[in-house]
Amino acid sequence: MAAQLERLRIYFVTWNVATKYPVQDLHQLLNVTCGNLKSLPDIYFIGLQEVKAQPQNMVLDIFFQEDPWTKSFRQVFTLLEVLKDYDYVKIRSQRLQGLVLNMFCLRKHITHLRLVEAQYTRTGFGGMWGNKGAVSIRLNIYGVSICVINTHLTPHDHLLTDRIADYNTILREHSFSAPDTSNILFHDYVFWIGDLNFRLHGEDLTAIDIDLLVKKNQLNLLLERDQLKLVMRNGDAFAELNENVIEFPPTYKFEFASQEFDLKRRPSWTDRILYKVNADVYDDVTLSAVQLNYKSHSNYIQSDHKPVTGEFDIMIRPNVEDHGVEFQPVSAWFIDEENSVSYKLIGDVRPVSGDWVGLFHNQFSSLDEYIVYEYVVRGRTTETSGVESSEPITERIFFSDSALRIPGMYRLVYVAQRGDLKGILGMSPPFPGHRRPL
């Protein structure tokens, strides 16, 4: 399949949900409509700001319970399971207080994911508090590296210098362990989304003035005052990134449950999607990202912000081989019995401490949904071909008699936790689990 691919389609959502819970249908926001089911993206990244957190959890950086918004988005994807070609799995969710970034990927791509890593940076109160800052997910897929950053920067019209400082703090302090991509901007593709909170320059422009210009569709006059465009041109912040032409009205601030501006604040384009392509890093291909659309969604009225979405086709390197794990066929697993499975380590794959094989229901929608898992034991092989041989190494892993309790269809997934191959190295075909006939 990899040889047939030339591009991946990635869909981004950014939305400041203003501490509200999800009540509106999310299908249209994700472009999951009856007329569009044949061109759904390969990967979704959904960045949210001001997701309500329980007071007792406000000081935690890691949240163990899925927030209502992530759950609601996952339910949309779960409904797509009837379409076998559009079967999404939640790969990673990263949260810092009200900031949430989720990644959903088509199941057919997940064994090509490598070096998946998530990070966060606080910028609130001089870096002491996570009410403002950034969360990110980086990964390699089909030979290219991708980094997605969801940010919520300092608000208010007059605090432009603070927003510039936030950006530079995130660039300086946000780092990854993946080789050659320790810095955000070192990745082949960078997508920076979020409530960046940039406003319109000049106090002479009142909220009423802005509202009138929007109603006359004279957006260009307003965009000339856009603080983000100004700092990009001046090289103060975000100068390394690009933004597609904005053709939608300001996304903030609206009256709740309305499509009318709340004129107590000056409307502005706070919610943005920026990107960067390091095009000439490989000899075999020139990388590129083509933005297919960039729009806001005015019909979502439960927040004082309108959500913004963008869709991209990115060039990949289909001839880059992914070494991984190939599970041997499993005819059946038996309930209340010890079961085992053999798998081959392809290429330069070797077990690392912390690697595990998880047992999942066939149609699992998140990597958190494992039924049980067993850690891989290094060197526990049933067949080897010698150190000098290039033949794959075969290993076997055992699951206890309590692993499986209910009849159904299942899968096994090999997850590498550390090392250069960190990611999902292999997934078995579905197999039945049932009681042994008497």
Side-chain angles (χ1 to χ4, degrees):
M1 182 192 67
Q4 299 173 354
L5 286 175
E6 293 184 357
R7 291 182 173 271
L8 284 179
R9 181 160 295 181
I10 308 179
Y11 191 97
F12 296 91
V13 177
T14 178
W15 192 7
N16 184 321
V17 297
T19 73
K20 305 299 181 182
Y21 289 101
V23 293
Q24 291 186 263
D25 184 271
L26 297 171
H27 284 76
Q28 185 268 334
L29 182 59
L30 298 174
N31 207 23
V32 179
T33 59
C34 291
N36 191 49
L37 292 180
K38 297 302 181 183
S39 59
L40 292 180
D42 298 285
I43 303 173
Y44 282 90
F45 286 98
I46 301 171
L48 305 172
Q49 306 88 40
E50 292 194 23
V51 173
K52 187 175 180 61
Q54 297 298 322
Q56 64 269 27
N57 291 333
M58 288 297 287
V59 297
L60 297 180
D61 294 319
I62 299 174
F63 290 72
F64 296 98
Q65 291 186 340
E66 193 171 63
D67 66 271
W69 283 96
T70 299
K71 183 177 181 180
S72 293
F73 281 112
R74 189 155 61 87
Q75 287 172 346
V76 174
F77 293 121
T78 301
L79 292 174
L80 288 175
E81 288 180 4
V82 295
L83 299 172
K84 294 183 179 179
D85 290 337
Y86 298 105
D87 184 7
Y88 291 92
V89 176
K90 190 185 82 171
I91 301 301
R92 191 66 190 263
S93 182
Q94 179 71 354
R95 182 167 183 177
L96 173 67
Q97 289 184 208
L99 271 170
V100 178
L101 179 61
N102 289 307
M103 174 187 174
F104 294 86
C105 181
L106 284 176
R107 191 183 304 272
K108 65 183 181 181
H109 296 308
I110 67 174
T111 56
H112 299 276
L113 294 171
R114 297 291 184 271
L115 296 171
V116 180
E117 185 177 351
Q119 289 291 352
Y120 65 86
T121 297
R122 303 184 186 95
T123 61
F125 296 101
M128 299 296 292
W129 193 240
N131 65 321
K132 297 293 184 292
V135 291
S136 66
I137 298 173
R138 64 88 53 219
L139 63 134
N140 285 33
I141 185 169
Y142 297 115
V144 299
S145 61
I146 302 170
C147 183
V148 180
I149 309 97
N150 173 32
T151 54
H152 193 186
L153 305 185
T154 299
H156 306 307
D157 292 42
H158 64 287
L159 295 180
L160 175 60
T161 56
D162 291 54
R163 287 186 279 283
I164 294 171
D166 289 345
Y167 171 77
N168 288 295
T169 296
I170 293 165
L171 275 187
R172 182 177 63 253
E173 298 187 2
H174 218 78
S175 63
F176 303 96
S177 62
D180 303 319
T181 55
S182 59
N183 185 283
I184 290 172
L185 298 178
F186 292 172
H187 291 78
D188 299 334
Y189 296 99
V190 179
F191 297 94
W192 199 305
I193 69 177
D195 179 359
L196 307 187
N197 254 323
F198 286 94
R199 310 304 173 92
L200 297 179
H201 182 70
E203 296 180 0
D204 59 311
L205 197 64
T206 69
I208 294 174
D209 294 333
I210 296 170
D211 187 36
L212 288 173
L213 288 171
V214 171
K215 289 176 177 176
K216 294 178 180 179
N217 199 31
Q218 294 181 330
L219 300 183
N220 287 340
L221 295 177
L222 294 175
L223 286 167
E224 291 174 359
R225 303 278 198 111
D226 176 53
Q227 287 182 347
L228 179 55
K229 296 293 187 187
L230 292 174
V231 299
M232 291 173 73
R233 286 197 296 268
N234 294 338
D236 297 323
F238 294 98
E240 301 86 352
L241 291 103
N242 303 294
E243 184 180 26
N244 210 31
V245 176
I246 292 177
E247 297 179 341
F248 50 85
T251 56
Y252 173 83
K253 173 179 172 62
F254 286 84
E255 297 177 357
F256 287 96
S258 171
Q259 295 187 24
E260 298 295 325
F261 288 119
D262 180 351
L263 298 180
K264 297 184 182 69
R265 296 283 181 89
R266 297 196 309 158
S268 56
W269 285 275
T270 58
D271 310 280
R272 312 290 275 266
I273 297 175
L274 310 179
Y275 67 98
K276 173 181 172 60
V277 182
N278 286 310
D280 299 316
V281 292
Y282 302 109
D283 294 332
D284 58 337
V285 65
T286 299
L287 300 182
S288 64
V290 178
Q291 187 163 5
L292 305 176
N293 52 67
Y294 189 25
K295 55 189 177 183
S296 67
H297 299 258
S298 60
N299 56 312
Y300 286 91
I301 59 175
Q302 63 181 95
S303 169
D304 54 353
H305 289 251
K306 299 302 180 188
V308 172
T309 61
E311 194 168 15
F312 293 79
D313 278 347
I314 68 165
M315 184 72 71
I316 57 173
R317 302 170 66 211
N319 296 322
V320 175
E321 184 177 3
D322 290 321
H323 295 162
V325 168
E326 180 182 303
F327 284 96
Q328 301 300 299
V330 179
S331 58
W333 271 35
F334 296 110
I335 295 174
D336 295 332
E337 296 185 23
E338 183 183 65
N339 292 276
S340 66
V341 62
S342 295
Y343 54 89
K344 290 182 180 179
L345 305 175
I346 308 299
D348 57 2
V349 172
R350 295 295 180 269
V352 175
S353 177
D355 288 5
W356 54 276
V357 176
L359 177 66
F360 291 78
H361 288 289
N362 179 31
Q363 293 299 113
F364 67 94
S365 62
S366 169
L367 290 178
D368 300 326
E369 293 180 347
Y370 55 82
I371 300 166
V372 67
Y373 64 89
E374 293 288 344
Y375 285 112
V376 171
V377 179
R378 296 185 63 183
R380 186 176 181 178
T381 62
T382 58
E383 177 184 343
T384 60
S385 304
V387 175
E388 300 300 324
S389 173
S390 61
E391 291 295 317
I393 296 175
T394 300
E395 299 203 343
R396 181 176 293 273
I397 191 166
F398 294 82
F399 286 78
S400 72
D401 58 7
S402 62
L404 197 60
R405 295 293 191 182
I406 302 172
M409 295 298 294
Y410 297 89
R411 288 180 187 263
L412 293 164
V413 178
Y414 188 110
V415 180
Q417 292 288 75
R418 295 191 297 176
D420 290 351
L421 292 170
K422 180 169 62 176
I424 303 162
L425 302 192
M427 182 170 60
S428 76
F431 57 85
H434 54 74
R435 297 188 185 279
R436 188 184 294 276
L438 296 176

